[in-house]
Amino acid sequence: MTKKKVILVAAAALFAVSGLTALPSGNITGGVGCIVVAAVCAYFGLKKKSAGKENENRTPAPAAASGGRVLDTIRTKVVGVTFNNEDGENRQDILSRMSGSEDITVEKYTYNGEPAAYVKWGDKVIGNLSAELAGDLARKYPKARYTAEILEISGGGGTDVRVQYRA
């Protein structure tokens, strides 16, 4: 659960308690108002993203629909998000325009003779898998295809993604 959702649920609880304590004391308008605010906060705090991107316990799609069997799944941070791309565009600016429900891809490449992997949104690089992770995966699954989804975009803490490696 993201920080934003935790704050909304906590606010919902506080407003609900305030509303329920206001009603017996005769403050009907204040009590009902607090309960309405609590309901709205709870709705947005507990609401799932429309594409289901935040449900980390969902089961993977069947192998036929997903293009092969899943070899491994990992949650990791995207690194290099503070750099500029070759065209001069700042990766932080790109991330600030994203909501977290966008389709992203992982593209393998070689950097200084070592395996590496871009994390991309369309044709825009938003960062990389860590050099260590890209190298380990290239050795362990040399022919695997990567699929990815954004789990969380957070200021200061980076961007978390789930990456799957398919046969």
Side-chain angles (χ1 to χ4, degrees):
M1 191 179 278
T2 65
K3 290 178 195 176
K4 182 178 175 181
K5 291 190 178 283
V6 169
I7 290 169
L8 284 169
V9 170
L14 290 173
F15 275 105
V17 169
S18 295
L20 293 174
T21 57
L23 289 174
S25 66
N27 187 357
I28 304 299
T29 306
V32 170
C34 282
I35 291 172
V36 169
V37 171
V40 170
C41 288
Y43 172 77
F44 286 110
L46 299 173
K47 180 177 117 174
K48 302 285 186 220
K49 287 189 178 182
S50 61
K53 296 285 183 190
E54 222 168 71
N55 186 357
E56 292 186 32
N57 296 322
R58 74 185 157 127
T59 56
S66 61
R69 72 179 173 88
V70 175
L71 300 172
D72 198 2
T73 301
I74 188 168
R75 178 185 178 132
T76 187
K77 289 210 178 285
V78 177
V79 301
V81 296
T82 59
F83 292 101
N84 289 339
N85 286 331
E86 290 179 6
D87 64 1
E89 187 171 20
N90 185 277
R91 294 175 182 177
Q92 291 288 303
D93 292 341
I94 297 168
L95 286 166
S96 71
R97 294 191 304 267
M98 298 175 72
S99 67
S101 62
E102 294 83 1
D103 291 330
I104 60 170
T105 58
V106 177
E107 181 182 304
K108 296 186 238 182
Y109 71 103
T110 303
Y111 180 76
N112 289 339
E114 295 294 324
Y118 287 126
V119 179
K120 296 176 99 176
W121 173 38
D123 63 345
K124 299 186 179 296
V125 175
I126 60 172
N128 290 71
L129 297 182
S130 71
E132 181 182 353
L133 177 60
D136 288 347
L137 293 171
R139 283 184 284 284
K140 191 172 179 183
Y141 307 117
K143 296 192 185 320
R145 292 183 318 273
Y146 302 164
T147 59
E149 69 177 312
I150 297 172
L151 297 176
E152 180 179 7
I153 299 173
S154 58
T159 301
D160 291 346
V161 295
R162 175 183 300 141
V163 181
Q164 290 188 329
Y165 312 94
R166 298 180 181 279

